[in-house]
Amino acid sequence: MYAENIMDHFNSPRNSGEVKDPDIKHKEFNPFCGDQIELTVKLRNGKEIQEIKFQGKGCSISQASASMLTEIVKNKNIEEVKKLTKEDILDLLNIPIGPVRMKCALLALDTLQNGIKIYEQYTKKK
Amino acid sequence: MYAENIMDHFNSPRNSGEVKDPDIKHKEFNPFCGDQIELTVKLRNGKEIQEIKFQGKGCSISQASASMLTEIVKNKNIEEVKKLTKEDILDLLNIPIGPVRMKCALLALDTLQNGIKIYEQYTKKK
Amino acid sequence: MLIDEIRNDFPILKRKVNGKPLVYLDNAATSQKPKQVIDAIKNFYETQNANIHRGIHQLSEESTEAFERSREKVAKFISAKPEQIIFTKNTTESINTIAYGYGLKNIKKGDEILTTVMEHHSNFLPWQLVKKHTGATLKIADITDDGLLKMNHLEKLATKKTKLVAVTQVSNVLGTINPVKEISEIAQKNNSLFLVDGAQAAPHMPVDVKKTGCDFYAFSSHKMLGPTGIGVLYIKDPDKVDPFLVGGGTIKEVYTDKEAVWHDSPWKFEGGTPDVSGVIGFGATVDYLNKIGMEKIRKHEEEITKYALDKLLKIKNITIYGPMDHRLRGAVIAFNIGGIHPHDVAAILDSEGIAVRPGHACCKPLMSRLDILAMCRASFYIYNTKNEADVLVSGLEKVNKIFKR
Amino acid sequence: MLIDEIRNDFPILKRKVNGKPLVYLDNAATSQKPKQVIDAIKNFYETQNANIHRGIHQLSEESTEAFERSREKVAKFISAKPEQIIFTKNTTESINTIAYGYGLKNIKKGDEILTTVMEHHSNFLPWQLVKKHTGATLKIADITDDGLLKMNHLEKLATKKTKLVAVTQVSNVLGTINPVKEISEIAQKNNSLFLVDGAQAAPHMPVDVKKTGCDFYAFSSHKMLGPTGIGVLYIKDPDKVDPFLVGGGTIKEVYTDKEAVWHDSPWKFEGGTPDVSGVIGFGATVDYLNKIGMEKIRKHEEEITKYALDKLLKIKNITIYGPMDHRLRGAVIAFNIGGIHPHDVAAILDSEGIAVRPGHACCKPLMSRLDILAMCRASFYIYNTKNEADVLVSGLEKVNKIFKR
Ligand SMILES: Cc1ncc(COP(=O)(O)O)c(C=O)c1O
Ligand SMILES: Cc1ncc(COP(=O)(O)O)c(C=O)c1O
């Protein structure tokens, strides 16, 4: 619990802030504890994550996992990102997460994947 | 349980029927099991039970206790009758009565005592 | 599993009543509990007890996990999804949840609710309440003289105005198993929602809400070897129903100046601290039932019902209600003997250690229909034996003797 | 009774969490259970279990008697009469019973409901529901900066139009003990009914509904050493309230062509099979509390609260909510540390074996009023020791260290 890497990401979050003219901008929150994550993403060719930043508040798990997630998805194809699972996030965090804090741990991934879904629906419509 | 005396009163109820021109006529029932007792009473000087009869249907306990009650209250002063208690009825029945069947056992006494109460209110008003 | 092994799991079956071995035939009122269930509850209180959901500490995480695992087991037990399973305190609360949360909102004057004359008060009074508050019409399908639902009557009463059809799957007096699949088709044809009261079905036979095609299904843990205080409400489409008991746990957001934002199902329906120990005990109950197998339970009960019906029919002055074909009924046998009051019958049986239930069984409309005030009901479960049916028969012969019939 | 003896009655207190002895400080969420209560439930299932009321057989008579004896004990515990005591599943259901059974019927557009900003959602959402369905106004009394109810504000908000005043006796976040007697007098002056949410009071101090002068009083067994799944609703005058959950047990007569005749209180309110084992377990709980004595429980908690407040106030970056005078508060201490999220605080404490609760504690209006999203709450009970308060303090120091504050 509270391994060095989590405290490190929490205290010095990577990719904090907002991307300019984002293709994807999506915010989710975890009503039980008030964690919030807003992701802004710039795509390359509508397919690859060129730039990603997050803003948020909440507990160390939700914020550290957001910081870690932004690091690993950069330059990834969104098809790959859509396939990321709970297990991938837990591997990143590398500490045991109980069912209650799972919501915190997965908030960033949910935000990203739902943001992609909305983006795809929106672009398909057009 | 089901001592001879109860079966005797149940199979050959005493004072079954209806008194003519009664001073008291009151009916109660036990909603859980549908026991019914209607008592008709003729008073002597408005004070003493001269004649009492009952009509009813229901289980052996409710009907036998009504039959037994009519026997012991005859010629009693209504003040005395008002003082009769649960224990007096249980003594008459002389078998163990659990909490559920208590309602059956006491139905006749309740009917009589409530009938007297109504009679008294009615005559006081006049 | 052999019946002796099963009986061995139920501590209370070792009890004597009035000096005689307990013969428990009041299962339609409530069932007994195996030690596996009693121990699950005890163990929860001794090692895990905590409030669920909003906790971060170890006990709360363990409790939450065990609680939600129970929900998954119950969902699987009736072929539903966890988010369609709401824990209530009993079937009565489950049905009221629909009456208030769906009925009062969606049913209007001119609409109709269709039910039957064999319903338990818990599946009757809620609809009278909806009728009273909305001005809707309540239609009541009749039964045949041998206690089957008159399907042509029900079909005639069902119209396009019927907003809801509410029918018991198994009658708790007649034992009748109603053709819920057929009724579901009638309901669908009219675009009516269909509520099934499964209180007497879920304990005794396999239930599949998808195959049944119902919108709501209600039942109680205590009638199926589980703890008291736990009911289940299946809702096919939880968005159709408003939160009913509102309070802690039902919301995402609360404001002082505008309406709350409700949580998702099932949480929006589970206001306040649930009966955590009961739900966990009920999870252990579902495990136990699955271990025996619902098919096997039904088969055992069919056999014992056939056996008991055959024997009981030979008793002098007996009237048995409901269909005589054991394949059409559950293991509930209601009867009267001559003019003897059911209380007297039950009391004499009690003196022989036999527990049956006398009264109206919360079915006053059915009592009126059968033109009786009350009856005696013997109801069997997986731990009952043919020998116990024999004890019942001897007890009833004794009743006749005492009353000189 | 010595505290060691008391602790010995609670099997779970022997448990280790993350290798450390369990320090259970989540009592405001739910309490632990003594073996006397656990055994009462087990014993009921093993020897007496039956459905109550309508049974004639031995088990049913025994169950009924034990059930009603529990009701008498609970009545006496708060100085009420048995027919004023209704068993529900939790405080939330108790309060909803009044919202639906009294509020929806008697409160009209133009009427007012008066509550406070420190209420638990369970004593807030039901009144928002009544407001929504009736068009009544919901007025909310504020608190002072040190977490006391602003009595002059409440008094100003109370008018002749106020049909109901609904206030918690003890706040589950601030710990504040509200002056319910005074509020009752304000309510009486305006002819308003008065509902007290006793969920955090009944477990921790003597309660006398007559002296309090309230019309309704609601509380939960699970927060006072008793089983989950049991709530209590005291109604001073049960005739004022309509039956709410309707079904088996609530009626005297049912007809197919006219309205039912309701049973007397408490039965008209207890639809369906109650949690018999839970009620009987709660009877044993009341015995247990009486054996210790509610005065003594209050005294113990006052001492531990004073001790803990003193120590906690010395922790760097801590903010403690609610009044600082231990005589004005229950044993609930809510706090935040620096900018550290309550989940992180709770998780680090958990790794030390300490159970506290982070979050909004179902008090979102209060969170908004305090301008926070969440807090951590440590809450004590009769089995907690000063030493455990010390362990909490060390845990919080560790939190500061990990977060480098
Ligand atoms: C003040 C207060 N009111 C009401 C409740 C709701 O109690 P329950 O969850 O038992 O319904 C609680 C507990 O959560 C509480 O603390
Ligand atoms: C058919 C039927 N429906 C509903 C109920 C009510 O169940 P509960 O008392 O558990 O609410 C019962 C049992 O009494 C029943 O037999």
Side-chain angles (χ1 to χ4, degrees), chain C residues 13-37:
Chain C
L13 296 182
K14 300 197 176 70
R15 201 191 137 152
K16 302 250 156 161
V17 164
N18 295 314
K20 314 273 167 65
L22 169 65
V23 175
Y24 187 77
L25 302 179
D26 193 18
N27 292 289
T30 200
S31 69
Q32 296 305 337
K33 327 297 174 199
K35 59 173 185 271
Q36 288 83 343
V37 170

Side-chain angles (χ1 to χ4, degrees), chain D residues 341-405:
Chain D
H341 194 286
H343 279 191
D344 290 321
V345 178
I348 293 171
L349 293 177
D350 181 54
S351 69
E352 301 291 310
I354 308 160
V356 300
R357 186 143 297 233
H360 53 64
C362 295
C363 287
K364 288 223 169 207
L366 179 60
M367 293 299 114
S368 306
R369 172 63 179 78
L370 298 173
D371 201 17
I372 55 178
L373 278 173
M375 42 84 225
C376 263
R377 180 182 68 185
S379 50
F380 299 84
Y381 210 170
I382 184 69
Y383 37 69
N384 291 120
T385 64
K386 286 184 186 164
N387 176 50
E388 289 180 315
D390 290 334
V391 176
L392 171 65
V393 168
S394 316
L396 292 175
E397 280 160 357
K398 187 163 175 193
V399 171
N400 266 330
K401 214 162 82 197
I402 289 180
F403 276 80
K404 306 206 163 64
R405 303 291 151 115

Side-chain angles (χ1 to χ4, degrees), chain C residues 51 54 247-249 271-274, chain D residues 28-30 89-95 118-123 168-173 197-201 218-223 229-231 361-363 377:
Chain C
N51 211 324
R54 285 162 297 281
T273 304
Chain D
T30 200
K89 73 175 171 187
N90 51 30
T91 302
T92 305
E93 187 194 323
S94 295
I95 297 175
M118 69 167 85
E119 299 309 314
H120 189 280
H121 294 160
S122 295
N123 195 28
T168 192
Q169 186 167 2
V170 175
S171 160
N172 65 315
V173 173
D197 174 353
Q200 297 294 346
F219 58 105
S220 294
S221 150
H222 72 92
K223 292 190 200 282
I230 299 297
C362 295
C363 287
R377 180 182 68 185

Side-chain angles (χ1 to χ4, degrees), chain B residues 19 21 66 100 120:
Chain B
V19 171
D21 297 327
V100 177
E120 289 183 333

Side-chain angles (χ1 to χ4, degrees), chain D residues 260-326:
Chain D
V261 180
W262 301 110
H263 211 304
D264 304 319
S265 182
W267 301 290
K268 73 170 181 178
F269 296 109
E270 293 178 354
T273 303
D275 183 355
V276 185
S277 78
V279 166
I280 288 169
F282 190 41
T285 311
V286 171
D287 290 341
Y288 188 84
L289 290 169
N290 285 335
K291 198 175 63 180
I292 301 180
M294 294 309 295
E295 293 284 1
K296 193 172 151 191
I297 292 176
R298 172 66 190 144
K299 187 155 164 287
H300 173 81
E301 292 183 13
E302 243 183 282
E303 270 171 35
I304 210 163
T305 305
K306 179 173 179 351
Y307 181 86
L309 276 175
D310 283 350
K311 293 249 174 169
L312 287 170
L313 278 169
K314 299 198 181 103
I315 288 174
K316 217 169 99 190
N317 300 318
I318 202 166
T319 308
I320 295 180
Y321 306 101
M324 287 307 131
D325 184 339
H326 62 275

